[in-house]
Amino acid sequence: MKSLWSDAEAEALVAHYAARGVGREVALCLYGSRLLGGDKRLVLHGGGNTSVKTVLPDLFGESAEVLCIKGSGRDLAALEPEGLPAVRLAPLRALRRRESLDDAEMVRLSRAALLDPGAPNISVEALLHAFLPHRFIDHTHSVAVLSLADQPDGAALCAEVIGRRVAVVPYVRPGLPLAKAAAEAFETGPDVEGLVLVKHGIVTFAEDAAEAYRRMIGLVTLAEERITRTRKSVFAVRALPSGIASVAESAPVLRGLCAIPDPATPGLYTRFVLDFRGGKAVRQFVDGADLERYGRAGVATPDHTIRTKNTPLIVPPPERGRLDAFAAEARAAVERYAADYRAYFARHNAASAVPKRELDPMPRVIIVPGLGLFGVGRSANDAAIAADIAESWVETVTGAEAIGRFESLSETELFAMEYWSLEQAKLGRAEEKPLAGQVALVTGGAGTIGFATATAMRAAGAETVLADLDGAAAEQAAARLDGPALGLACDVTDPASVRAAFDRATEHFGGVDIVVSNAGAALQGRIGEVEDAVLRKSFELNFFAHQSVAQNALRILTAQKTGGCLLFNVSKQAVSPGPNFGPYGLPKAATLALMRQYALEYGSAGIRANAVNADGIRGGLLTPEMIAARAASYGMTEAQYMGRNLLGHEVTAADVAQAFLSLALARSTTGAFLTVDGGNIAAAPR
Ligand code: ZN
């Protein structure tokens, strides 16, 4: 591992922050923090922490000796001065005399010592930084160091490899006990450059920011050299079926099995999103003959338990052409996992001084031999974090197994971390949105109505896929949404293209739940004279394409077995024909019937089918030229023409989007169509 420290860059950052009134030492700490945070071999997603001891004026203008320490759960890679709150050092240090300190009190005391009462909570490892005397302190969960430290003889191995440059601290629970143990270890060997925390990570310190950082890189490099020195292939390979089912086929099965039905409300589930990883290192790990041993051994460092739980779910390899057998075996594995989790909770909760609130029993990482691994989360972001941490864990375990045997913490320690209130607090308690955990796919997603619909689904918490004939436009539209949306090319009149789009959506998010079949175009012609070719083309786009989209949706919904929602953009033409719009209205009328057929035949599987009949949407099928020409032909202004309905105002794409959203949420409505036309009795259902 190479040092990336540049004095020129560091000084530039010092100058940048000086202009904002941020002191030199804090700016240097930020620079080092970002370098550490930028390397996923050192820290991931809010892991690790850094600090600097300095003197700052308090709110009353008095100088105070403070510890500026990373805020809890903040990312080192993007740390700003606000993420490094200042807390008075003397009261923190006085806590070393305490025998014990409960979580709530620790948070209260540290908040009382903050210079700025509005600052974020400080890192759960703040006391460790306070009790050590050094000006700059860096703490990471280095993969290479953990490969050494996560061994039955981890302490001895670290001492042998890193030698006298560090003091080795046996595993102690984070918080006051670890802070005391770390300070004592340092005091017995005050020449050391840092501390190895067995089964947890590494700390380096110095009077100078660059030196603390360089010591981190230097010590981690020693560990890296040791674990790669005699590297051959680490894992013996297990036997696998000759053909393995694809990610697109396997993911919906697993996603469906992990969804938790709401016991009180049929049709409602707590659903999860999946994030697949299948790189070379992951494949070697998941295809190993000894997977059952090392795969279930536990996490690499304690704070990972809140993201990945203590162990992954391991399912059998999915043999191509035998997905039913895979589904049955995977179901048994999920049921066993959930039962084991409940038993683990009950066992440790009974022994816990303060009763804990049980988390859901579903895995956050799924290992699939022959394929790779899935991160599992209530959102795509959470699934990606779980997958990132799982990949880092794979690297740690692989390094450990290369030189010995990976060993994690005891179950008691893992439970203490998973249910430590300060760790749980990092996950936040934001109110969940109604479509959280669901995936919505919208065809014609780059168009006015499609994009408005995707925006509404996203605002309600769904992960979104925008499929459009224009793939580049779909990608641009997806980038404009708030969150990790997927934009992809899809010609809805080509069944192979539709299938590929659904497969890509499934590879990306694990499946789909809501499909808005929206793509269409208004072909015109007087019905007695129109060429057959025009009518047939319109049937391809405005009827057969809806059938192709719905069939592919069914393929995935059926594999998930958790219901779902089909939504069709049908148009007012389906029930109230307009002159010259026969080629458009006829296939749309067939699509209205198609919706009812799906409602009839798949209601028993919890799959709902509904439609929206919209009319007069600017930017939908109405081009500016059409609006101008028609307004002129009626002798109206454009505004008068667009508001030509019972309510007297223009109907917008956002109105149509809200109608789709309300149907997606209406758990007891199927076979219905909803008009969004400002009121038009001729087009009203009767
Ligand atoms: Zn740590």
Side-chain angles (χ1 to χ4, degrees):
M1 179 169 276
K2 287 208 169 60
S3 166
L4 299 176
W5 188 282
S6 146
D7 284 335
E9 276 179 21
E11 289 306 326
L13 201 71
V14 168
H16 170 77
Y17 280 116
R20 283 179 49 188
V22 175
R24 177 181 180 80
E25 287 173 324
V26 169
L28 289 171
C29 180
L30 288 174
Y31 178 65
S33 302
R34 291 179 192 176
L35 291 184
L36 297 172
D39 193 327
K40 63 186 173 59
R41 294 170 296 176
L42 293 174
V43 294
L44 276 174
H45 300 297
N49 39 65
T50 51
S51 71
V52 54
K53 297 182 182 76
T54 184
V55 174
L56 288 177
D58 65 16
L59 291 181
F60 305 99
E62 304 280 335
S63 285
E65 202 187 343
V66 294
L67 173 75
C68 294
I69 169 92
K70 194 193 80 159
S72 182
R74 297 282 170 135
D75 253 328
L76 284 178
L79 206 61
E80 291 286 339
E82 299 71 27
L84 208 58
V87 56
R88 290 176 199 277
L89 193 52
L92 282 194
R93 282 191 165 153
L95 295 175
R96 195 172 166 186
R97 292 193 295 271
R98 299 266 186 129
E99 280 299 310
S100 64
L101 187 60
D102 74 41
D103 298 347
E105 200 182 1
M106 152 104 181
V107 171
R108 249 162 64 83
L109 290 171
S110 61
R111 287 209 65 79
L114 284 169
L115 280 204
D116 176 354
N121 279 346
I122 57 178
S123 164
V124 298
E125 282 162 328
L127 293 182
L128 180 148
H129 292 253
F131 295 175
L132 291 167
H134 312 83
R135 187 172 303 280
F136 290 93
I137 301 180
D138 294 334
H139 166 49
T140 74
H141 302 147
S142 153
V143 165
V145 170
L146 288 172
S147 289
L148 292 181
D150 291 355
Q151 303 261 355
D153 57 348
L157 201 55
C158 290
E160 174 202 318
V161 173
I162 307 183
R164 296 218 189 101
R165 292 171 67 184
V166 291
V168 177
V169 185
Y171 183 80
V172 188
R173 204 168 288 183
L176 182 65
L178 173 60
K180 284 186 180 183
E184 282 157 21
F186 164 72
E187 284 156 8
T188 59
D191 302 331
V192 295
E193 298 171 21
L195 309 170
V196 169
L197 311 179
V198 171
K199 293 183 179 170
H200 176 157
I202 177 167
V203 178
T204 56
F205 32 60
E207 286 308 294
D208 174 69
E211 186 59 21
Y213 169 82
R214 286 198 195 100
R215 285 176 170 180
M216 177 65 71
I217 302 303
L219 297 179
V220 168
T221 302
L222 289 177
E224 280 183 337
E225 285 167 359
R226 176 66 184 88
I227 58 170
T228 52
R229 195 169 58 198
T230 53
R231 182 78 70 106
K232 34 180 188 359
S233 65
V234 177
F235 302 115
V237 184
R238 63 170 283 168
L240 286 169
S242 58
I244 296 287
S246 67
V247 175
E249 288 173 303
S250 311
V253 172
L254 295 169
R255 180 168 182 257
L257 290 172
C258 291
I260 306 168
D262 182 329
T265 320
L268 273 195
Y269 292 83
T270 299
R271 294 168 206 257
F272 296 93
V273 178
L274 305 187
D275 189 313
F276 178 72
R277 307 293 166 94
K280 194 170 160 222
V282 168
R283 281 298 303 275
Q284 285 174 346
F285 182 94
V286 305
D287 294 349
D290 259 355
L291 173 67
E292 285 291 331
R293 174 182 60 79
Y294 59 75
R296 293 190 200 280
V299 292
T301 183
D303 79 359
H304 287 180
T305 64
I306 57 163
R307 294 296 192 174
T308 62
K309 292 210 159 118
N310 300 337
T311 53
L313 166 69
I314 302 177
V315 296
E319 189 173 350
R320 189 185 301 145
R322 294 189 66 240
L323 261 127
D324 286 348
F326 171 66
E329 290 165 345
R331 174 179 295 280
V334 171
E335 284 170 0
R336 214 162 38 236
Y337 186 96
D340 287 350
Y341 186 84
R342 292 199 178 100
Y344 148 84
F345 177 82
R347 203 157 56 233
H348 292 281
N349 192 43
S352 168
V354 186
K356 312 287 186 186
R357 203 160 59 95
E358 188 172 357
L359 300 171
D360 77 70
M362 287 302 160
R364 291 300 184 271
V365 177
I366 305 176
I367 287 183
V368 190
L371 215 55
L373 66 81
F374 291 95
V376 181
R378 283 285 281 150
S379 66
N381 278 331
D382 282 351
I385 290 173
D388 285 348
I389 289 176
E391 284 202 87
S392 171
W393 167 72
V394 162
E395 205 183 327
T396 305
V397 175
T398 305
E401 294 278 319
I403 56 167
R405 194 184 182 98
F406 175 77
E407 186 185 86
S408 181
L409 299 166
S410 70
E411 195 183 87
T412 307
E413 289 299 342
L414 290 173
F415 179 84
M417 283 308 293
E418 186 176 4
Y419 283 90
W420 188 22
S421 62
L422 297 182
E423 285 290 318
Q424 290 295 332
K426 284 187 191 171
L427 296 176
R429 289 196 184 76
E431 190 75 5
E432 281 209 324
K433 293 181 174 167
L435 294 182
Q438 303 214 39
V439 180
L441 183 151
V442 183
T443 69
T448 310
I449 290 176
F451 182 68
T453 302
T455 304
M457 296 289 176
R458 178 65 195 149
E463 308 300 337
T464 45
V465 183
L466 288 80
D468 200 282
L469 189 57
D470 183 342
E475 282 175 32
Q476 284 161 15
R480 277 159 57 209
L481 286 180
D482 169 30
L486 175 66
L488 45 83
C490 176
D491 175 358
V492 290
T493 61
D494 172 4
S497 174
V498 174
R499 189 179 181 95
F502 273 85
D503 282 353
R504 268 197 64 201
T506 301
E507 286 158 9
H508 199 79
F509 290 126
V512 294
D513 306 285
I514 300 162
V515 173
V516 186
S517 190
N518 163 67
L523 283 86
Q524 299 177 46
R526 203 167 176 207
I527 199 66
E529 295 146 32
V530 69
E531 284 178 35
D532 255 16
V534 172
L535 197 54
R536 287 182 193 280
K537 186 179 173 203
S538 187
F539 263 89
E540 283 298 331
L541 177 57
N542 293 312
F543 172 72
F544 284 105
H546 288 288
Q547 163 65 349
S548 177
V549 166
Q551 276 191 329
N552 274 281
L554 250 294
R555 179 167 65 85
I556 292 164
L557 297 180
T558 307
Q560 288 173 170
K561 294 189 169 66
T562 51
C565 180
L566 303 177
L567 295 168
F568 299 87
N569 188 345
V570 161
S571 166
K572 156 259 185 196
Q573 294 294 331
V575 290
S576 173
N580 288 322
F581 275 93
Y584 182 52
L586 290 167
K588 286 291 196 181
T591 299
L592 187 61
L594 180 76
M595 174 276 282
R596 290 182 158 142
Q597 200 67 32
Y598 273 98
L600 176 73
E601 294 188 29
Y602 295 96
S604 60
I607 296 168
R608 299 183 295 111
N610 294 292
V612 169
N613 285 6
D615 190 33
I617 310 301
R618 192 189 291 270
L621 301 174
L622 276 180
T623 62
E625 298 74 39
M626 284 163 78
I627 295 169
R630 290 200 201 167
S633 76
Y634 283 96
M636 291 176 174
T637 64
E638 283 191 18
Q640 283 170 331
Y641 174 73
M642 294 304 287
R644 195 179 34 98
N645 55 47
L646 297 178
L647 295 173
H649 66 240
E650 180 174 345
V651 182
T652 66
D655 297 329
V656 181
Q658 286 304 313
F660 278 125
L661 175 59
S662 66
L663 287 170
L665 291 169
R667 92 184 162 88
S668 302
T669 299
T670 190
F673 71 92
L674 192 53
T675 58
V676 185
D677 55 13
N680 174 357
I681 287 302
R686 64 196 119 168

